[in-house]
Amino acid sequence: SDAEALGVILNRIYDNETVFVHIMHKDITAEYRTLPNNIISKIGDEVRGYAKSNHFSKNDFKEIIHIVDMDGAYIPSSSIIEDSSALKPIYSLKDIRTCNKHNIEQRNHNKSLNINRICSYNDKIWGVAYRVFYMSCNLDHALYNKLNSNDEEKENDSYLFAVKYKDDISGFLDFIINSDFSVVNGYKESWDFIKQDHNSLKRFTNLGLCFKGE
C-alpha cells in the first residue's frame, strides 16, 4: 500500500528519472540486531540486494530516499501504557497502549538511537546520495490522518490517495509541503522537532523537504 500511495506520484514528479520503490517489509530501525554502528551498512545491504535482483549497478541510482515511520519512538516511558487487551500496539496522539510495555520500551530505545544515527548521516551509501525522511506516527497517519488502520483500510486509502493526486501533482505538492502537519523549516530542524515531547506520535512529516530542494 505504501508503494501504491507514493510510487506513481513520485514518478510523475521526477518525470526525467525513474523512481523505484523498495518495501523492506520490516522496520530496519527497530530490529534488535540493528545498532547505530551497523545500521548504515545494513541499509547498504538492502540497496545492493535490490540492485542485484533487478540487474542494476550503483551508477543507475541518483539518490536514496529512505522513509521511516516514527511509531512514537521518542515519547517518554510514562506514555507507554500496559493494557492486557491491546494484543497489538494501539496508538493515539498521547500514548501507546500495549500488552507488553517492556517490548515497546526496548523497541523505542533501539529505534531512537538508530534514527539519531541515520538522520545525522551526511555521507553516501554505496556511493549514492542518501537522506531519510519521516512519517509520524506512520504513513497512514501522515497521508490519510488515520491511526491503527487494518490491512484492508490501508489498501483502500492508498488507492484513493493515488487516484486523487496522480493527475494533480501541484495539489500533492501543496498537500505535502504546505499542510499544517508539514515540517519543512530545514532538514536538521525538522528532525529536532519530531524528537520533542509527543511529536513522534502526532501527525507530522518532513517529506516535503524533498520537493523544496532542501
Side-chain angles (χ1 to χ4, degrees):
S1 61
D2 295 356
E4 183 171 25
L6 291 175
V8 172
I9 295 169
L10 292 176
N11 270 304
R12 296 286 178 89
I13 293 172
Y14 298 109
D15 59 353
N16 292 322
E17 309 288 346
T18 300
V19 176
F20 302 102
V21 179
H22 171 53
I23 306 297
M24 292 188 195
H25 300 290
K26 61 185 177 183
D27 184 352
I28 197 170
T29 64
E31 289 187 320
Y32 77 98
R33 290 183 178 176
T34 302
L35 303 170
N37 64 2
N38 67 20
I39 188 168
I40 299 300
S41 64
K42 283 180 174 284
I43 293 170
D45 290 342
E46 286 284 335
V47 174
R48 284 189 292 271
Y50 175 82
K52 182 178 180 180
S53 65
N54 289 278
H55 308 290
F56 296 133
S57 73
K58 67 180 179 182
N59 294 328
D60 293 313
F61 295 93
K62 181 177 181 179
E63 184 177 7
I64 300 163
I65 297 172
H66 184 185
I67 301 175
V68 300
D69 292 341
M70 293 306 296
D71 294 321
Y74 290 89
I75 64 172
S77 178
S78 59
S79 296
I80 303 173
I81 310 300
E82 189 84 32
D83 182 347
S84 60
S85 67
L87 301 182
K88 293 183 178 180
I90 300 172
Y91 294 87
S92 76
L93 300 182
K94 62 181 181 179
D95 58 38
I96 303 172
R97 308 190 75 84
T98 174
C99 63
N100 195 324
K101 177 180 169 75
H102 173 74
N103 277 5
I104 297 298
E105 288 176 332
Q106 189 61 53
R107 180 205 68 178
N108 281 7
H109 175 73
N110 294 347
K111 188 177 178 79
S112 61
L113 291 178
N114 286 322
I115 288 176
N116 288 346
R117 171 64 173 138
I118 60 177
C119 75
S120 62
Y121 185 71
N122 295 315
D123 205 346
K124 296 179 178 182
I125 293 181
W126 196 43
V128 182
Y130 169 86
R131 287 187 298 167
V132 59
F133 300 91
Y134 59 76
M135 300 283 188
S136 184
C137 171
N138 53 34
L139 181 141
D140 306 298
H141 192 199
L143 297 188
Y144 324 132
N145 198 21
K146 291 185 177 181
L147 285 170
N148 307 303
S149 297
N150 60 37
D151 289 344
E152 183 177 357
E153 290 169 332
K154 290 173 184 285
E155 291 290 342
N156 289 338
D157 288 334
S158 64
Y159 172 77
L160 293 174
F161 188 86
V163 168
K164 180 177 181 178
Y165 287 117
K166 68 182 180 67
D167 294 318
D168 182 17
I169 297 306
S170 63
F172 170 77
L173 292 174
D174 183 59
F175 168 80
I176 206 69
I177 294 173
N178 298 318
S179 294
D180 58 3
F181 55 85
S182 304
V183 187
V184 292
N185 57 333
Y187 186 75
K188 180 182 182 300
E189 292 80 3
S190 71
W191 278 105
D192 290 341
F193 172 82
I194 204 64
K195 297 174 186 180
Q196 297 172 11
D197 303 320
H198 287 71
N199 289 350
S200 58
L201 275 178
K202 296 177 182 179
R203 188 190 185 193
F204 294 111
T205 181
N206 66 348
L207 185 62
L209 291 170
C210 268
F211 315 112
K212 290 186 67 180
E214 297 185 18

